[in-house]
Structure formats: C-alpha cells, structure tokens
Amino acid sequence: MRNIAVIGLGYVGIVTGAGLADLGNHVTGVDVDEERLQLLGRGELPIYEPGLLELVERNVRVGRLRFTNSYDEALKEAEFAFITVGTPSGLEGEADLQHVRKAAGSIGRAMRPGLIIVNKSTVPVGTGDYVAEVVRTSQPKPMPFSVVSSPEFLREGSAIADFMNPARTVLGSEDPEAAEKVAQLHLPLRSPIMITDLRTAEMIKYASNAFLATKISFINEMANLCEALGADIKEVAVGMGYDPRISPHFLDAGLGYGGSCFPKDVRALAFMAAEKGRHPQLLQAVMEINADQRQSMVEKAADLLGGLRGKVIGLLGLSFKPNTDDLRDAPALEIAERLREAGATVRAYDPVAMARASSLLPHVEMASDAYALARGADALIVCTEWNEFQHLDLDQVRDSMRQPVVIDGRNVYDPERMARLGFRYRGVGRGSSPSRQAAVIVPT
C-alpha cells in the first residue's frame, strides 16, 4: 500500500483518488473548497458520474480514502502527490495556471523529502519545469523531490472504466527513477505505459485532444456538404469508419464538441503555437467549424418555423454529452441564448443537469420531463443524446406540440420514421430526403 495525496477534488481528482484507493493505496484528497468537502463528508458528490459514488463510498468505508483541507495532514506520510486542479481558459485562450501555482506552492511548504509530484492536470508544455521551480522556491528548507507528468485521458460518462482500463498511461520526467515508481503504481491496470520526457508527455495530451476535436469538426464539415449535395452523413461515416486508418470513432456529426477539455485544450494549443510565432491554421478552422454548428441549429429552427419571434422552443438535453451534468461549453447553453436573442421563448429538459443549469439560464423554463417540454412547443431541438430521448413515445410528443417540428442536433432519430409520424424533421447532414439504413453484407 502506497500513501498518496491527491490535490484538487474536482472531476479528475475524485475519479483519480477513488481509483487509486480501489487499487489498494491509501489516498488523502485535498481541497480548499469547504462546500465541496462538506458534500463529500455527507457521502455526496459535487459531480455526476455513473458508478463514482459507489466507488467513493466503498473506499471511504474501508479506510483507504479520506478528504481534508490540510496539506500538512495529507503530505505528512505521502510518497506521491497528484496535482489534479483545474486549468481553465484565460482571456486569450491560454491555460490559467493559478490553481496549479497555488497547489505547487502549498506542496512545497508541507512536503517531506523525496516526494514525487505527479501532474495530472492538463497544462501547457513546460509547466513541469514551472511546477518544480514553484515547489523549490516555496520550501522552508531545500529538500529533494521529483516531478512527473501523467496526463489524464478520462471521458466524462465513462471515467471509471477509463481509469481502470486505460488505452495507455503516459509518464514524462527528467528523473527515470521517479517515472519508474509512478509506473509501478499503474502496473495493476495492465495497460501500455509510455515513459518519455516532461515536455513530450505534456504535448501528447494536447495533441490527442486536438486531433479528436479535429475529427469531430471534419465530420461536421462533411455533414454540411451532405446537406447541400443530398447525401447522408450517417452512411458516409459508416463507410469511412470501416477503413482502419480512420476508424469509426468520433465520426458522429452533430452540434460539435463541448465540455471541459476539447474547447479549452484546442484554444490553449493554438495560443501556444501563436506565442512561438507559428500559424495554427488547422486549429483555427477546427474552432470556427465547431462554433458554426451551434448557429446552424438556430438557423434551421428559423427556417422551419418561418422566424423565431414569439415561438416556443424546447431543448432536449443541456449537458455537453450524456451521462454527465457538466455544462462547461455545452452547445445547448449557447443555442438557448441565441434563440432568446431572436425572440423565442426557450424551455429545456435534462435528466441530471437542470439544477446546475438553472443559475446559468435564468430566463429558460426547466420542464419536469420531455413530455412537459413538448407541450405547446413549436419545435424541439435535440442537444444531448440521452438514451431516454431515443425511447420517447413520439406520437404523444407530436400530439402535444403546437407544431410538430424536430431539429435533431445529435441525429438520434431516423428521418424516414419521423416523416412517417408526421414530423417536420431536420437532422445534421441527413441529405435532402429521408434515406434507408445502409445495408452491410459480411461474407461468410
């Protein structure tokens, strides 16, 4: 059993801490947010993530996981300190490192000799050196320590599975012995472990997220062409995905990417490129296409309804993806504001995110369920592909609406079926007319 401190109990911190505890380590989570600590003390979580509450409760119960606001308490016997604080976007897209700086300074003041500091936060290339300098200048007296970069690759909604079954673990350090010790922590996960230098490890995280964001923007660009040319992007994506060089992953056309990672990481990478005198033209295009997808939903609604002023529009889903209540850079928030600016009355329903959304969208009425949302609405816009939306009684939805208009921002529904049910339907890249399901023949 290793003694580990996890600094920052946000999304990454709670998942990382609970996961490391479940592997048999003794983990102390540290956070300066008293409200968050009180929630955890009552057995509640500040975030929604399937399976996480059970994982936390189990490890708290057996004494492998505890929470505190004291760095001295957490680092008293710690061999490793994982930094998992947030790095939000600054005014120009740069990553804001104030929380990393505060965490590193507090670690320096409370640490014991030989501590290995593991940075899991997504940080600009070169931050490992910066963390080392902050720790060094914060120490009451000089003592040895090491810094390892170990970027996280957790997906909201499947974070527990991602932690326990990672595609790879990336470690970067100028101290091979420290990297090897961190690798030992991850051996029970039985995944490939790549050890490299600090800056390369930091860059791997940014490059990975930027590539996935690029793939999403590319398929949305193709979807827009499909709409103009009469092709079906769903079938185009299937045909592309059979090519092993492409793969079917991240080829779902829709409202584009959102959340806490892709938007800020693409912006931060573009900022780093510009700072070094490079012209990040591909990254700029990725961001522009993503922004256009949100506006296109508003334009489709206006086109189908003959204008938006005085119309009632319901948003099916608010979180940026299903199985999370995360509203950071969620497309639905921007769509709601643009609809209101155009004179529409906006309602919304989400299975888990409405409590968070109420303060962010004070002028949007929150419906009790999808059927209440549809009642008297002129149009519904699907913003999040929650599973329950795929199984609605569409006859009931249609009959309760003032106008049976559905703009499907996630291509949840089949255009042919929606037309048969009497809806005026518009998906993303579904062509000029409803198409049948693509036939796939596999030789035996």
Side-chain angles (χ1 to χ4, degrees), residues 164-177:
M164 295 300 180
N165 303 281
R168 80 290 204 194
T169 298
V170 176
L171 305 175
S173 184
E174 311 311 317
D175 182 345
E177 185 178 346

Side-chain angles (χ1 to χ4, degrees), residues 36-58:
R36 183 170 296 174
L37 288 172
Q38 288 173 13
L39 273 175
L40 291 166
R42 295 196 300 267
E44 302 175 35
L45 294 182
I47 59 172
Y48 175 82
E49 176 65 31
L52 182 56
L53 181 58
E54 294 81 0
L55 189 68
V56 169
E57 287 177 338
R58 179 168 70 245

Side-chain angles (χ1 to χ4, degrees), residues 71-72 74-79 81 104-117 132 134-136 138-146:
Y71 278 83
D72 290 328
L75 294 173
K76 183 178 180 181
E77 298 181 355
E79 303 161 75
S106 297
I107 289 171
R109 289 186 287 273
M111 63 176 285
R112 68 174 192 167
L115 183 70
I116 297 175
I117 300 166
V134 172
V135 170
R136 195 175 294 113
S138 302
Q139 292 176 336
K141 62 180 181 180
M143 62 185 76
F145 67 94
S146 300

